[in-house]
Amino acid sequence: MRASRRQNAGWDAAYLQIIGRLERESFHEGIVREGEIFPDFMLPSASGRLVTLSEHLSKGPVVLGFFRGTWCPFCKLMLEALAQAMPRIEAKGATLLALTPETGAQPAALQARHENRFEVLCDVDFGVGLQAGVVYKIPPLYRANLIASNLDLAIRQGNAAWCLPVPAIFLIRPDGMVARRFVDVDFTKWPEPDEIIGALEGPGRWS
């Protein structure tokens, strides 16, 4: 999919602008690191319930991911892969929480698409993403491409910030500490589910 998209010169220029800027700014350095405590939060779920990280951590480890939205084909692929891997994730005693900056009906549609196999939470105004250090301001070229594709993030996200999270998945121990993180400034790159499950099987305090 990445190779196909990069054949479009306009898309490729916007894609490279994002990666280049985030790499120049050493964006990775501001993201919650392994060994640090992930900030607790309370967010509305796709079903309208208020959900806290701590309530899920009381049951076991949490696999927490930031996803750009229902419109992103790379996020869709990753979520489909995670949905298929849910029996293996749950077998390790873990819960999957998918955070998206989208509001309105989008989170519910996303959860329904994956048959409620995991919980989708609305990261209102990027509150959790900003604390975790995964949110960036969309550069001009990519913003123009989104608008040209009739993707108005101001409407989909309920604010005019025009920001997005980078691909980020955190494996959080029951004590709140980040045991592993998978992050990349390239929004086309995600970890394989096998890597996530392998980490859950690795050494560490998971209970």
Side-chain angles (χ1 to χ4, degrees):
M1 183 182 291
R2 184 190 309 117
S4 174
R5 291 298 182 95
R6 295 201 65 181
Q7 291 176 11
N8 179 311
W11 188 93
D12 192 50
Y15 164 73
L16 293 175
Q17 185 183 64
I18 289 177
I19 296 173
R21 197 190 80 182
L22 295 180
E23 287 180 344
R24 285 193 304 273
E25 294 175 351
S26 300
F27 189 80
H28 271 96
E29 294 181 6
I31 299 174
V32 173
R33 294 177 172 84
E34 294 172 4
E36 295 181 342
I37 297 297
F38 197 94
D40 195 11
F41 58 75
M42 178 182 289
L43 291 176
S45 70
S47 60
R49 187 172 69 90
L50 288 176
V51 173
T52 64
L53 174 60
S54 54
E55 74 178 79
H56 284 285
L57 291 176
S58 69
K59 305 170 188 175
V62 168
V63 178
L64 186 148
F66 289 90
F67 299 89
R68 306 194 313 160
T70 54
W71 54 272
C72 173
F74 302 99
C75 295
K76 287 180 181 179
L77 285 175
M78 185 62 197
L79 284 166
E80 287 169 7
L82 287 171
Q84 292 175 14
M86 277 309 297
R88 298 167 64 199
I89 292 172
E90 290 172 340
K92 304 302 175 188
T95 301
L96 172 62
L97 298 179
L99 275 62
T100 172
E102 290 191 306
T103 58
Q106 303 301 327
L110 179 60
Q111 186 158 312
R113 181 182 301 137
H114 297 291
E115 301 175 345
N116 299 310
R117 282 178 280 186
F118 51 81
E119 193 146 36
V120 177
L121 305 180
C122 179
D123 188 15
V124 181
D125 293 338
F126 317 100
V128 179
L130 287 168
Q131 288 187 75
V134 301
V135 174
Y136 66 94
K137 187 79 172 176
I138 300 172
L141 280 179
Y142 197 70
R143 175 172 174 169
N145 278 8
L146 291 175
I147 292 172
S149 300
N150 294 317
L151 285 169
D152 189 338
L153 297 192
I155 294 174
R156 299 180 78 95
Q157 297 176 348
N159 61 66
W162 283 88
C163 292
L164 284 171
V166 296
I169 291 183
F170 298 88
L171 274 56
I172 308 172
R173 299 186 334 195
D175 62 4
M177 183 176 290
V178 176
R180 284 289 305 275
R181 71 172 194 178
F182 302 89
V183 295
D184 204 303
V185 297
D186 184 342
F187 60 80
T188 71
K189 295 181 179 179
W190 289 89
E192 292 290 336
D194 283 348
E195 293 181 76
I196 295 168
I197 294 164
L200 289 171
E201 293 172 341
R205 286 172 42 202
W206 294 109
S207 60

